[in-house]
Amino acid sequence: MNHIRTYHYYWHIFFFSLLVCMAEFTKAADRDVLERVIYLAKSKGTVYTLLGKVSEQSGFLFVYDSKVVDNDRMVKLEAGQRTIRQAVYEIIGRQDISLRIVENHILINQLQVQCPVVTTSEDTLAYFTLEGKLQDNQSGAPIAYGTVGVVGTSIGSITNQDGEFRLRLPDSLRQGRIRVSHVGYVGQEMDMSLLEAQHAVWSLEPWVIPIQEVVIRAVNPIRLLREMLKAKKTNYASVPVYLTTFYREGVRYKQKFRNLTEAVFKIYKPSSLLNHSQDHVKLLKMSRIVDSQERDTLIAKMSAGIDACLQLDIVKNLPDFLLPDGKGNVYSYASCDMTVIDNRLVNVISFRQNKGIKEPLYCGELYIDAENNALVQARLEINPAYVRQATDMFIERKTRKWKITAQEVVYTISYRQWNGIYYMNHIRGDLYFKVKLKRQWFSASSLHTWFEMVTCKVDVDNVTRFQRKERMPTRTIFSDTHFKYDADFWGEFNVIPWEEELGTVIEKLSPKIEQIEYENKSWIRSIVLSIFCHDMRHRMC
């Protein structure tokens, strides 16, 4: 017995010594990298630009808290050699920061930052929040609609048009890893514990695909579409699933926001292999912000934006342009590019209607995984040459004195893989119109309606249809939906943060979240935009 105790004693000492050695080795490795000497030419630029030059010299990318590093501050550098540490101190203009090497990143933090611990009652779960921004490593431009997710889970979101994201996660995932990616960029991962309590700025590198000097591989787009359809059974869900989604729709008239409606839905989606099976939607949360001072002017409302999102699941609701062997197919296809999505090689197929076809159909690009033939992304728009003819597809009714003409109609769709299966990830529609009073030459104004839905979580266990009383009608005007507002509105739900422009405009409106009563409709002059499909297989809305 004493022999066993002695053995355990020495084993514990050895294990503790090993941990100490590993920690010292890590610190030494950090010092080796940060003390590496680089040469920087004489230059003047923003902090972001100059940190990019350090990345070029060192091969390490920077991730930092935007509260610690001022991206836009102008800095002058003299030519000369510096260690990486000295270069970072000089560029940022302060030394009260910690520099840490994490894989191929240099993590910049405020010294002695204490991560707040979320405490809750025993009856509730603890949550923590991750916030950040994605931007192009070369230009510094924000990366919109980038995918942000927790590795190994179905939880995620997207970035807004300013590249900003926000994830609210259960405490059980605190030791997990976060992954960010976007089409055409190298995806990145990092431990979430390193990013908590800060607004992390991620710089994504464009993915450059080298071209072989001799071998040129031609891709037959028709064959690729056939293989995509053939692989549909293995790439997409064959059983019902629940999708918890965040939804947003809005209207901007004369360059001013008139209303914004947001919601969290739970969607019951049958098998993606059953084209005619119906999705069901249950409303969990909802808010509405309106410009209450504009009630005497034109009011535009979006009808069936939710139904449009469901119909735009083009893997489930196969449109004509995904059926190259369909009867009377009127599209031509071309292999136009190769890119990368989530660090996987993707073929880009373009399609457009044949020249002899004069009606408003779709054109766009399809992104198909080069290895498993899954359709992972699509961008669609009504042919610009015929988009004005498509106006009646979207206008359900209008007042007689107004003339409305469609100017541009664009949709983007993406799918995200989890456990080897692809699920609907993000859908967005942007519809632009010109609105003018009849017989008045100089009365034309712009009208922009938009909607988007992002999947924040996928559930595959115990999935059953919603009861009829729980289902929300999807073809009605969603902004007219009655709801009960509560003070702790979003709770633990993940939402897309407001873009800077949207937040500024709404603040100026002195908004209030309210339930609008429509008992007195005398002041309403409404344009109702119908976004649902009349013929999905021929013209998706």
Side-chain angles (χ1 to χ4, degrees):
M1 180 65 71
N2 290 333
H3 174 73
I4 295 175
R5 289 177 178 174
T6 303
Y7 171 80
H8 281 293
Y9 172 75
Y10 283 111
W11 171 252
H12 288 149
I13 290 180
F14 170 76
F15 184 70
F16 177 76
S17 300
L18 180 62
L19 290 177
V20 172
C21 290
M22 289 177 64
E24 291 300 322
F25 176 79
T26 301
K27 293 179 180 178
D30 286 3
R31 287 195 295 269
D32 289 343
V33 171
L34 295 173
E35 301 308 320
R36 186 185 304 170
V37 177
I38 60 174
Y39 176 82
L40 294 177
K42 183 178 181 180
S43 56
K44 178 182 178 181
T46 63
V47 168
Y48 181 81
T49 302
L50 297 179
L51 286 179
K53 294 183 181 296
V54 177
S55 291
E56 293 174 4
Q57 292 279 331
S58 65
F60 285 80
L61 299 172
F62 288 94
V63 176
Y64 47 84
D65 189 343
S66 62
K67 299 175 183 177
V68 176
V69 178
D70 182 0
N71 260 342
D72 300 323
R73 190 173 70 89
M74 296 299 298
V75 179
K76 291 182 180 180
L77 288 182
E78 296 297 329
Q81 292 184 334
R82 303 165 174 81
T83 65
I84 293 176
R85 184 190 303 275
Q86 290 171 339
V88 174
Y89 285 164
E90 187 177 351
I91 292 170
I92 294 177
R94 53 189 297 187
Q95 297 188 19
D96 59 335
I97 55 175
S98 67
L99 303 180
R100 181 177 177 183
I101 306 300
V102 180
E103 299 172 359
N104 65 328
H105 297 86
I106 298 177
L107 190 63
I108 304 175
N109 281 324
Q110 182 74 42
L111 283 175
Q112 298 179 345
V113 172
Q114 296 293 328
C115 296
V117 178
V118 179
T119 57
T120 60
S121 65
E122 296 182 357
D123 296 332
T124 60
L125 293 174
Y127 286 84
F128 67 102
T129 300
L130 288 180
E131 295 181 313
K133 180 178 182 179
L134 305 188
Q135 52 192 27
D136 185 283
N137 185 48
Q138 297 180 359
S139 66
I143 299 176
Y145 313 132
T147 300
V148 183
V150 180
V151 176
T153 76
S154 65
I155 299 174
S157 187
I158 62 166
T159 60
N160 63 18
Q161 294 188 37
D162 295 332
E164 305 275 350
F165 70 87
R166 176 182 179 273
L167 280 179
R168 185 161 170 79
L169 303 169
D171 196 57
S172 58
L173 296 176
R174 192 180 294 271
Q175 300 305 315
R177 289 175 67 82
I178 185 174
R179 179 172 181 79
V180 296
S181 63
H182 190 274
V183 56
Y185 288 89
V186 182
Q188 297 184 29
E189 289 185 14
M190 186 168 288
D191 292 343
M192 289 187 288
S193 59
L194 301 173
L195 304 174
E196 189 181 355
Q198 58 179 294
H199 188 274
V201 178
W202 298 71
S203 299
L204 299 190
E205 288 185 300
W207 188 299
V208 179
I209 302 175
I211 301 176
Q212 298 183 23
E213 295 180 359
V214 179
V215 180
I216 299 176
R217 183 169 64 92
V219 175
N220 185 318
I222 301 295
R223 185 182 65 187
L224 197 57
L225 284 175
R226 291 170 182 163
E227 291 174 349
M228 183 272 294
L229 293 172
K230 185 178 179 181
K232 178 180 173 181
K233 294 181 180 179
T234 56
N235 284 327
Y236 302 93
S238 59
V239 297
V241 299
Y242 285 141
L243 304 181
T244 303
T245 66
F246 174 72
Y247 175 83
R248 178 183 288 167
E249 66 177 39
V251 175
R252 184 163 61 177
Y253 177 60
K254 293 183 178 180
Q255 303 304 317
K256 294 182 179 180
F257 284 94
R258 296 306 168 92
N259 64 61
L260 177 74
T261 306
E262 300 178 322
V264 174
F265 299 133
K266 192 167 187 177
I267 300 176
Y268 167 83
K269 288 191 72 69
S271 167
S272 295
L273 309 181
L274 303 175
N275 294 1
H276 301 293
S277 56
Q278 186 177 5
D279 299 343
H280 295 154
V281 177
K282 180 164 67 173
L283 177 63
L284 302 180
K285 294 278 186 176
M286 178 180 173
S287 75
R288 182 185 307 113
I289 299 174
V290 298
D291 183 359
S292 57
Q293 299 176 1
E294 295 290 344
R295 293 187 175 183
D296 293 331
T297 63
L298 176 69
I299 304 295
K301 299 184 180 67
M302 182 179 298
S303 173
I306 303 166
D307 189 61
C309 289
L310 302 179
Q311 294 294 337
L312 284 165
D313 182 358
I314 58 177
V315 168
K316 178 174 178 290
N317 307 299
L318 291 172
D320 275 359
F321 54 76
L322 287 185
L323 301 171
D325 298 320
K327 184 178 179 180
N329 186 273
V330 296
Y331 292 96
S332 57
Y333 304 86
S335 176
C336 63
D337 198 3
M338 294 192 75
T339 187
V340 170
I341 297 179
D342 204 14
N343 291 356
R344 295 177 66 90
L345 199 61
V346 172
N347 290 303
V348 184
I349 304 299
S350 65
F351 69 95
R352 62 176 50 250
Q353 64 196 73
N354 294 327
K355 291 184 178 180
I357 308 299
K358 302 299 182 182
E359 59 182 304
L361 301 181
Y362 277 89
C363 59
E365 297 82 39
L366 307 170
Y367 297 77
I368 300 177
D369 190 294
E371 182 178 343
N372 59 24
N373 298 317
L375 177 68
V376 295
Q377 191 162 307
R379 179 190 178 277
L380 322 173
E381 68 173 313
I382 290 185
N383 191 329
Y386 305 106
V387 66
R388 294 187 178 185
Q389 299 179 26
T391 301
D392 290 341
M393 294 169 56
F394 308 104
I395 304 302
E396 184 176 300
R397 65 181 185 269
K398 61 182 179 180
T399 55
R400 293 182 178 181
K401 61 181 179 180
W402 289 98
K403 181 180 180 180
I404 305 172
T405 307
Q407 302 293 300
E408 184 181 11
V409 178
V410 181
Y411 302 108
T412 56
I413 305 114
S414 69
Y415 296 86
R416 181 182 173 211
Q417 190 180 39
W418 176 57
N419 288 346
I421 300 296
Y422 287 88
Y423 300 94
M424 187 176 72
N425 180 47
H426 179 230
I427 289 176
R428 181 176 174 103
D430 287 276
L431 297 89
Y432 300 88
F433 299 87
K434 182 171 70 175
V435 182
K436 67 182 295 291
L437 287 167
K438 293 181 179 179
R439 301 174 184 174
Q440 292 191 19
W441 291 97
F442 302 104
S443 63
S445 301
S446 61
L447 172 66
H448 175 204
T449 71
W450 51 273
F451 60 87
E452 64 183 330
M453 178 183 289
V454 58
T455 298
C456 300
K457 186 180 179 183
V458 179
D459 291 309
V460 296
D461 297 327
N462 303 317
V463 178
T464 58
R465 293 177 181 271
F466 300 138
Q467 296 181 10
R468 185 175 297 275
K469 62 181 180 180
E470 295 179 309
R471 302 175 193 172
M472 186 187 71
T474 59
R475 293 192 177 186
T476 57
I477 300 173
F478 180 60
S479 60
D480 285 356
T481 302
H482 291 269
F483 70 99
K484 183 178 180 180
Y485 174 72
D486 63 79
D488 186 21
F489 185 70
W490 290 118
E492 72 277 11
F493 289 111
N494 284 314
V495 302
I496 308 172
W498 284 350
E499 291 83 7
E500 182 179 356
E501 177 192 13
L502 182 60
T504 302
V505 171
I506 290 176
E507 286 178 5
K508 290 180 179 178
L509 293 178
S510 300
K512 58 181 179 179
I513 300 175
E514 63 179 349
Q515 173 63 45
I516 304 175
E517 298 295 341
Y518 290 100
E519 295 177 358
N520 181 7
K521 298 187 178 181
S522 60
W523 52 270
I524 296 180
R525 292 177 287 176
S526 64
I527 299 172
V528 182
L529 300 179
S530 177
I531 314 299
F532 62 85
C533 296
H534 296 293
D535 183 358
M536 183 64 185
R537 289 186 174 273
H538 189 55
R539 297 188 190 94
M540 283 194 336
C541 53

